[in-house]
Amino acid sequence: MNSWFRRYLLPGFVFQSIIIAGGYGTGRELVEFFLRFGPLGGLLGMLLPSTILVSITAMASFEFVRVFGTYDYRTFFQRLLGRGWFVYEIGYLAAVLLILAVIGSAAGTFLLETFGLPYAAGVVGLLVTVGFLVFKGTDAIERFLSGWSFVLYGVYLVFFAWSIGAFGEAIGAAFASGEAREGWALSGFRYGVLQVSLVPAMLFATRHIRRRREALWAGALTGPIAIIPGVLFLVAMAGQYPGIVDRPVPANYLLELLGSRGFQIAFQVVLFGTLIESGTGVIHAFNERVAGVFAARRAHMPPTLRPAVAVLLLILASLLSRFGIIDLIATGYGALSWAFLFIFVLPLLTIGMYRLYQGEAGGRGGSP
C-alpha cells in the first residue's frame, strides 16, 4: 500500500472494519439505534450526531497518538487518564465480549439460514479464521481489513442499487412521510459514542501518520468512511418500515425479498468476512496491549499466545451469545454507550486536549 493511503485512508478503513459487524452488519443495530425513530429520523441520526462525533473523536485521538506515540490502548489511556487507565480496560473487555457474542450469534445464524449448516459451524469457522489472522500479525491484519473493506463497499453499493430498483417507490414514500420521532438525535449520539469506543482498538493503524495535518485529515475522513455503508443499508431497509423493525436479522429479510439466491450467498459470504474483520480487530487490539506489557519488561510476546488469547475470548463470547442477538444489542449496547461517554469521549475532549496543548508547548508536537 502506498504511503498516501496508509496515512490518510487506512485508519478509516481499519476502523470501519472493526466496527461493522457489531455496528451495522446484520442491520439489527441500525434498527435499534435509528430506524425505530422513523426513516427520516434514523437518517438524520446517522448523518449528523454519529458521523460528526466519530470524526471529531478520531481527529483528537490520532493527533494524541502522533504526539505521544501511544499505539496501543494501554499506553494511550495511561497517558490520558494516568492511574485511572484501567477503567477503560474493564469497559473494553466487556465491549469485546459483547461484540464477539453478537458476531458469533450472527455467524451461526447466517450459515444456518443461508446454507442449512449447523449453528456451531459458523462459530467454529469464525474462531479458526480469526485465530489464524491474529497469529499472522499486524501487517497481515491491516491488509485483510483494508482489502475486505473495498469488497464490502462494492457489495453494499450493489445491494443499495438493487434495493432502490426493487423497492424505490416504497423507500421514497417512507422518507417523504417525514417521520422523525423524538429521540433520534440522542440515539444517534449514543451510537456514535459506542462506535468511537473502539477507536483505541485500531491505533496500530495510525503508526504511518507523521504530521498534524495527516492526523486531522485521517480522523475527519474516518467518520464518513465508517458510516457510509450503514447509511446505504438504512436507506435500503426504509422501504420495509415498519415491518422490518421486528426482524432479528434484517439483512437476511431484505435478501429474501430481493429473491436472488446467488446474490444472497455472495452477500452472506462478504458479511461473514466482516464478522471475521471485527473479531480480528478487537482481539488484535487486546493482544497489542498484552504485547505492550511484555515490551515494558524487555521481553517478546510468545507467538502462540496471540491465537490462544483469541480462542479464549471467542469461547467466552460464545457462551454469552446464547442470550440472542436482539437482547444483546438492545441491552448491552445501550449500557456501554453511556459508560464509554464518561470513560473515553469526555476525558479525550477535555483532559486529552489539555495534555496535547502541554505536549505542543513542550516541543513534542513534531511537524504540523
Side-chain angles (χ1 to χ4, degrees), residues 330-347:
T331 305
Y333 279 17
L336 283 177
S337 65
W338 291 117
F340 281 115
L341 175 63
F342 295 100
I343 292 173
F344 173 46
V345 177
L346 291 180

Side-chain angles (χ1 to χ4, degrees), residues 78-158:
Q78 283 179 330
R79 173 69 71 167
L80 178 63
L81 300 179
R83 294 181 178 179
W85 70 268
F86 66 90
V87 177
Y88 176 81
E89 177 133 74
I90 296 171
Y92 181 73
L93 282 175
V96 166
L97 290 176
L98 182 60
I99 290 168
L100 291 176
V102 170
I103 290 170
S105 179
T109 301
F110 285 156
L111 292 190
L112 176 64
E113 293 184 357
T114 306
F115 304 108
L117 296 175
Y119 180 89
V123 177
V124 172
L126 185 74
L127 186 150
V128 171
T129 310
V130 169
F132 172 76
L133 284 171
V134 168
F135 179 77
K136 296 295 287 184
T138 300
D139 287 339
I141 290 171
E142 281 187 355
R143 290 190 179 92
F144 176 74
L145 297 188
S146 59
W148 200 259
S149 289
F150 284 105
V151 176
L152 171 79
Y153 260 80
V155 169
Y156 265 59
L157 285 171
V158 171

Side-chain angles (χ1 to χ4, degrees), residues 44-59 188-189 192 196 219-220 222-224 227 349:
L44 290 173
M46 290 198 79
L47 292 176
L48 297 178
S50 290
T51 305
I52 292 171
L53 181 63
V54 170
S55 289
I56 290 174
T57 307
M59 291 167 71
F189 177 78
V196 299
T222 293
I227 299 297
L349 299 181

Side-chain angles (χ1 to χ4, degrees), residues 180-196:
R181 297 182 181 178
E182 185 178 351
W184 64 263
L186 179 59
S187 187
F189 177 78
R190 289 173 55 219
Y191 179 86
V193 170
L194 187 62
Q195 303 315 310
V196 299

